[in-house]
Amino acid sequence: MRIKQKIVAGIVAASFTSIGLLGAAASPAQAVTASQIHSISSSAKDATANKWTIRNSFFGKDGEDVPLRNGDAYSGYKHIQDKHPIDDTSLIGWIDDTLEDGTYKKQGNKVVARNRTATGQMFRVVFTEREDSESKDGRPVGVITAFLE
């Protein structure tokens, strides 16, 4: 089961990479900047939908579905970068390593996974498998926060 999940995650990652490469090949006149995107979707409804957009998909030790969503001030990628800024490459790698090799502790409807990074620092990922009807994708809320301790 774990191998199938990694294959699916690899295919998804490759798809996003291909899309990113296609976007990079566009001439500057065709490129869309972040400020243009924000001005197009300024309604509260669009902002809520964006909150539930999945940035990355991860799997826990026992096959748990742990998406990293764009989030908001309280959970997900935005929360992580606002409260504990980490460059994306390290963040994604540390989340993946922690979910795969870390120690898990259940706390209510949340799970706290901890793992030591290559530099010896402890990294923590807090996630939930709870679903939220606002997400409309049937997947769990996923990563709440992640940070170096």
Side-chain angles (χ1 to χ4, degrees):
M1 184 68 168
R2 183 90 172 134
I3 294 171
K4 287 181 186 177
Q5 292 171 337
K6 287 191 176 200
I7 291 170
V8 170
I11 291 169
V12 170
S15 299
F16 286 124
T17 301
S18 298
I19 292 167
L21 291 175
L22 290 174
S27 66
Q30 296 171 349
V32 177
T33 64
S35 61
Q36 289 171 322
I37 292 169
H38 290 297
S39 65
I40 292 169
S41 61
S42 60
S43 75
K45 188 175 184 178
D46 289 340
T48 302
N50 190 34
K51 164 185 170 177
W52 296 106
T53 302
I54 296 173
R55 293 183 67 91
N56 292 85
S57 288
F58 300 98
F59 297 98
K61 279 184 181 180
D62 296 326
E64 301 93 343
D65 182 12
V66 187
L68 172 61
R69 297 180 182 274
N70 280 343
D72 57 17
Y74 306 103
S75 68
Y77 182 80
K78 181 172 179 9
H79 168 77
I80 294 167
Q81 294 301 8
D82 286 351
K83 301 292 182 187
H84 327 280
I86 301 171
D87 69 86
D88 285 358
T89 303
S90 295
L91 177 66
I92 300 309
W94 289 337
I95 290 173
D96 192 43
D97 289 347
T98 301
L99 293 174
E100 189 170 321
D101 300 325
T103 58
Y104 283 44
K105 183 176 181 183
K106 189 118 169 120
Q107 293 182 345
N109 67 350
K110 297 175 188 164
V111 178
V112 177
R114 296 177 71 220
N115 194 37
R116 200 163 294 283
T117 67
T119 61
Q121 294 177 282
M122 288 302 287
F123 190 75
R124 180 183 298 204
V125 177
V126 179
F127 69 93
T128 182
E129 293 182 88
R130 176 183 62 81
E131 290 183 22
D132 191 305
S133 60
E134 285 186 45
S135 74
K136 308 236 187 294
D137 61 11
R139 294 184 65 190
V141 171
V143 176
I144 297 168
T145 191
F147 55 91
L148 284 166
E149 295 182 4

